[in-house]
Amino acid sequence: DMGGHDTYMHKEIHEQADAVDRALRGRIDDRFSTVHLGGLNLDARDARAVRRVKILGCGTSYHAGQIGAQMIEELARIPSDAEPASEFRYRNPVVDPDTLYIAVSQSGETYDVLAAVQELKRKGARVLGLVNVVGSAIARETDGGIYVHAGPEVCVVSTKCFTNMVVSFGLLALHLGRIRDLSVADGKRIIEGLRKLPAQISEILANEAEIEKLAGEYADAKSMMFIGRVRGYPVAREASLKLKEVSYIHAEAYPASELKHGPLALIEPAMPTVAIVPDDELLEKNRAALEEIKARSGRILAVAHQVQEKADHTIVVPKNEDELDPILMGIPLQLLAYYTAKAMGRDIDKPRNLAKSVTVE
Ligand code: M6R
């Protein structure tokens, strides 16, 4: 039942404020400025002993993991990174007893992720799951974890689950941070930020008509460039994947800082750029990248906290805490992908060649 929406993708994009609310419900502990994650199965002593975090997933879940790794490194100061589960398994990785492994999956059935979990378990590693489908294979085979509570996601293209995964990583980063060196004041600040998210998501979605118009402006592109830096880079990667999957427009994502090392050669009016420009410590650097693109007559659509003069268009999103901004900045670009695909008459819920869960290698 699509409840008045023309596609599940549209419905699921609009369910995000409620979905995030569900991910937060019952988990916040104001007394200690932390969160409770019931199924984590990792006591304080274990959490303190973690020396590294390695996050494994595929596609959108891998991108959520990249944001998650940054959140954990920033808030808990544990060296963290994300890697595609399939690649990890085939490069005979060093499996380290002091590393906490986290498998991320909407379906909980993705073969490459499940196989990585089984290989890690066989070698004695501690593996947690960050999973949407309750009781799925990955949820069952991990030592504990976090359910992301996005609710059923039907569209092949993941939207609300991505958002809830990133929120769940925010909760985990806060939890690990407060067991280690994150102060009460910072804990409070992050909790306040988390609580603001549902209303801010509704605010972004209320801007839908403007994003639909913008999709019309850029739908003629043969190829699009997505750029961001540090916190914004995985947002750019996910937005680029979303556009490819539903519209079949070619898109590339680069760190803005890498443009001058090659991809700047591609910039011309027929190759528009979508730039993630948060109001954080990299704002001036991001603005300089916009200038470089403008100087090569590139068209620019910015997603930012304030109107960007160098951009042809800016989608202004509400500001949250710097660490949590990535949760919000991708949401208008889900709508951009949706409206671009719609204008092109694509089969939005079932893009060609793709399956909702990839249970084969
Ligand atoms: O169910 P999973 O999260 O493990 O699925 C992983 C990917 O196959 C999935 O995210 C895929 O990239 C989607 N089509 C993204 O929209």
Side-chain angles (χ1 to χ4, degrees):
D1 174 28
M2 291 196 263
H5 297 272
D6 67 339
T7 54
Y8 279 104
M9 183 179 184
H10 192 261
K11 173 171 184 266
E12 288 160 6
I13 288 173
H14 280 271
E15 283 169 349
Q16 291 179 107
D18 285 344
V20 168
D21 193 56
R22 233 178 359 255
L24 301 178
R25 205 172 301 154
R27 285 172 162 173
I28 294 176
D29 173 352
D30 285 302
R31 180 155 175 246
F32 290 104
S33 301
T34 187
V35 287
H36 289 298
L37 298 167
L40 207 55
N41 208 11
L42 185 80
D43 66 26
R45 214 165 282 198
D46 293 337
R48 291 198 69 97
V50 172
R51 312 261 318 236
R52 287 186 114 358
V53 173
K54 169 66 85 179
I55 299 168
L56 301 167
C58 296
T60 287
S61 299
Y62 161 53
H63 295 152
Q66 286 191 304
I67 300 176
Q70 287 190 23
M71 287 174 162
I72 294 170
E73 190 149 332
E74 272 197 273
L75 295 175
R77 302 308 290 156
I78 308 171
S80 306
D81 73 336
E83 188 177 333
S86 48
E87 292 292 288
F88 174 78
R89 196 158 57 89
Y90 280 102
R91 66 177 179 77
N92 192 22
V94 174
V95 173
D96 167 14
D98 299 329
T99 298
L100 177 64
Y101 295 89
I102 306 175
V104 194
S105 177
Q106 187 288 127
S107 60
E109 306 290 343
T110 300
Y111 181 79
D112 278 321
V113 184
L114 181 60
V117 169
Q118 289 167 337
E119 172 79 351
L120 282 165
K121 296 283 309 174
R122 195 181 63 75
K123 293 182 170 174
R126 183 194 288 275
V127 192
L128 301 182
L130 200 130
V131 171
N132 192 41
V133 176
V134 175
S136 55
I138 294 167
R140 280 183 277 119
E141 298 229 10
T142 42
D143 299 305
I146 306 176
Y147 280 122
V148 305
H149 294 310
E153 192 179 64
V154 176
C155 179
V156 165
V157 167
S158 182
T159 53
K160 66 171 177 171
C161 192
F162 171 79
T163 300
N164 267 38
M165 282 172 175
V166 182
V167 169
S168 302
F169 273 118
L171 296 173
L172 180 62
L174 173 60
H175 170 75
L176 293 173
R178 287 288 297 122
I179 289 174
R180 299 164 75 112
D181 293 324
L182 191 75
S183 68
V184 170
D186 276 328
K188 271 207 177 111
R189 180 174 68 75
I190 297 299
I191 287 174
E192 275 165 27
L194 289 167
R195 283 203 169 110
K196 278 190 209 152
L197 287 171
Q200 290 181 319
I201 291 172
S202 302
E203 207 181 302
I204 293 169
L205 297 176
N207 217 4
E208 185 165 6
E210 182 200 328
I211 298 168
E212 179 173 11
K213 264 216 311 257
L214 286 172
E217 299 254 352
Y218 291 91
D220 64 327
K222 288 273 168 301
S223 182
M224 281 179 96
M225 180 71 82
F226 286 76
I227 59 168
R229 291 195 68 165
V230 190
R231 298 185 193 103
Y233 175 50
V235 176
R237 295 192 65 179
E238 172 56 13
S240 145
L241 176 64
K242 223 76 305 173
L243 184 74
K244 280 183 201 119
E245 286 186 290
V246 284
S247 74
Y248 316 150
I249 292 177
H250 172 255
E252 292 220 42
Y254 269 96
S257 50
E258 279 286 303
L259 276 183
K260 54 177 153 325
H261 300 293
L264 209 47
L266 295 170
I267 299 298
E268 47 141 350
M271 173 94 163
T273 299
V274 174
I276 313 298
V277 188
D279 231 350
D280 62 12
E281 66 279 9
L282 287 168
L283 180 60
E284 288 315 313
K285 302 268 178 204
N286 277 316
R287 282 199 173 132
L290 300 190
E291 247 162 75
E292 283 170 19
I293 295 164
K294 220 45 268 165
R296 276 94 186 164
S297 2
R299 282 188 287 163
I300 303 172
L301 168 59
V303 178
H305 295 122
Q306 40 180 312
V307 172
Q308 295 304 309
E309 265 172 39
K310 290 287 162 194
D312 299 271
H313 304 95
T314 307
I315 300 172
V316 176
V317 296
K319 179 85 183 85
N320 199 296
E321 296 304 319
D322 290 352
E323 298 91 334
L324 302 180
D325 282 332
I327 300 169
L328 297 170
M329 300 198 86
I331 291 177
L333 298 175
Q334 299 172 343
L335 284 171
L336 187 81
Y338 164 83
Y339 278 112
T340 305
K342 190 171 159 155
M344 299 172 94
R346 303 302 192 206
D347 189 354
I348 291 177
D349 283 338
K350 287 193 169 44
R352 67 185 182 200
N353 310 338
L354 302 179
K356 182 65 180 161
S357 73
V358 184
T359 53
V360 293
E361 190 169 342

